[in-house]
Amino acid sequence: MEQSREFTWRGPGGPFTIQLRQGVFAPTHTSREVAAGLTVNPGETVIDVGCGSGVLSFVAARLGAARVYGTEVNADAVDLARNNAELLGLAERVDVRLGSLFEPLEGVRADVVIGDVSGIPDEIASLSDWFPGGFSGGPTGAEVPVAMLERARSHLLPGGRLYLPTGSIQDEGAVLRAARRIFGEGRMRQLRERLLPLPGRIADSAVARRLMETGVVRFIRKGSRTLWELRIWELTAPPVLQPPS
Ligand SMILES: C[S@@+](CC[C@H](N)C(=O)[O-])C[C@H]1O[C@@H](n2cnc3c(N)ncnc32)[C@H](O)[C@@H]1O
């Protein structure tokens, strides 16, 4: 029997209450920071890649998006997000599809892409309870976000915006290099920055030590606490349609 619980979102677009379920990613500080940086204008089309419970799709819909497409590789998350859309009376506007990244969205172009797809190294994710479905970000946590960035340009309308979380808990340099290559330095704007605590079982692990020593992640010690830096970016597509390079 699946265990589910209610969760009330009090960030932008809230408050609203959804169901969470074991096996599906539960909203975190990163979800809240992405939402805090997000601009959605009334009538816009939004793609939410890695939508989990659907929380950021619902934020976008409640901020006025005319149409929101969520994608997910976790079939339990797709089922949950669809149920949540029904619960919130948003099923007409929020369309959740099973598949990797933009795969289920052939031919769809949006004003906004929410790129909060998994970006935590697999070995760190396995020490946490953040990815109960097991769909984490790849060996360095950069692989899935970079693959998302590679495909995003062809799903953005001219002048469209992509919202991207990065952090020192992943190979952030690799994600930012890909973002600069694909969008151009002048089309990236850092919107937010925050220090977040790293749970002790991760901070004290051999995995964290090895990833620090090899320069993949960067943690900050402050007294007895270990912290990581989260950043939220807005990347803007060129105002005229160009084939992605
Ligand atoms: C960091 S969670 C964010 C979920 C949601 N945006 C939130 O704030 O709660 C990332 C989500 O991406 C999903 N995911 C991982 N790889 C994916 C892929 N290749 N395509 C689509 N979704 C993916 C995971 O299953 C997970 O639900």
Side-chain angles (χ1 to χ4, degrees):
M1 181 76 182
E2 285 286 355
Q3 281 202 356
S4 55
R5 65 183 167 94
E6 280 194 349
F7 167 81
T8 299
W9 171 265
R10 299 189 194 281
F16 59 82
T17 299
I18 58 175
Q19 293 288 318
L20 299 181
R21 190 188 289 171
Q22 269 183 1
V24 177
F25 189 91
T28 59
H29 289 298
T30 302
S31 320
R32 276 184 265 282
E33 290 296 318
V34 172
L38 186 64
T39 299
V40 174
N41 300 309
E44 289 190 323
T45 297
V46 176
I47 296 174
D48 179 14
V49 189
C51 66
S53 61
V55 65
L56 296 178
S57 296
F58 308 138
V59 169
R62 290 172 59 105
L63 291 177
R67 187 110 197 114
V68 184
Y69 298 92
T71 70
E72 249 301 333
V73 272
N74 179 350
D76 285 343
V78 171
D79 184 51
L80 179 68
R82 285 180 180 158
N83 286 343
N84 281 329
E86 291 281 351
L87 271 178
L88 294 172
L90 292 172
E92 299 270 294
R93 280 196 286 147
V94 179
D95 176 352
V96 181
R97 300 187 183 179
L98 178 65
S100 183
L101 304 175
F102 298 92
E103 225 170 64
L105 298 178
E106 204 177 324
V108 175
R109 279 183 180 265
D111 303 282
V112 172
V113 169
I114 302 172
D116 181 24
V117 75
S118 304
I120 302 286
D122 296 337
E123 286 179 296
I124 289 189
S126 68
L127 296 174
S128 76
D129 52 7
W130 295 325
F131 294 90
F135 302 97
S136 44
T140 70
E143 291 77 3
V144 175
V146 168
M148 184 274 299
L149 289 168
E150 302 275 7
R151 292 157 182 77
R153 276 283 304 276
S154 53
H155 289 275
L156 272 174
L157 289 164
R161 311 174 303 281
L162 185 149
Y163 294 90
L164 174 74
T166 67
S168 66
I169 196 171
Q170 64 184 175
D171 186 351
E172 187 177 23
V175 181
L176 293 177
R177 277 193 299 279
R180 280 187 199 105
R181 171 171 52 79
I182 295 162
F183 283 80
E185 176 93 51
R187 301 195 162 280
M188 293 176 60
R189 189 159 69 99
Q190 187 182 316
L191 301 176
R192 302 182 67 83
E193 187 168 49
R194 216 180 136 178
L195 277 176
L196 293 172
L198 192 69
R201 65 185 174 286
I202 299 174
D204 301 336
S205 70
V207 165
R209 256 196 314 281
R210 176 161 42 75
L211 291 175
M212 276 269 272
E213 280 163 13
T214 51
V216 172
V217 298
R218 206 177 55 261
F219 298 136
I220 299 153
R221 296 266 176 202
K222 269 212 171 148
S224 59
R225 298 200 313 156
T226 305
L227 307 166
W228 62 280
E229 294 166 302
L230 168 70
R231 280 171 270 275
I232 309 295
W233 301 84
E234 182 183 68
L235 316 182
T236 307
V240 287
L241 204 54
Q242 289 176 354
S245 49

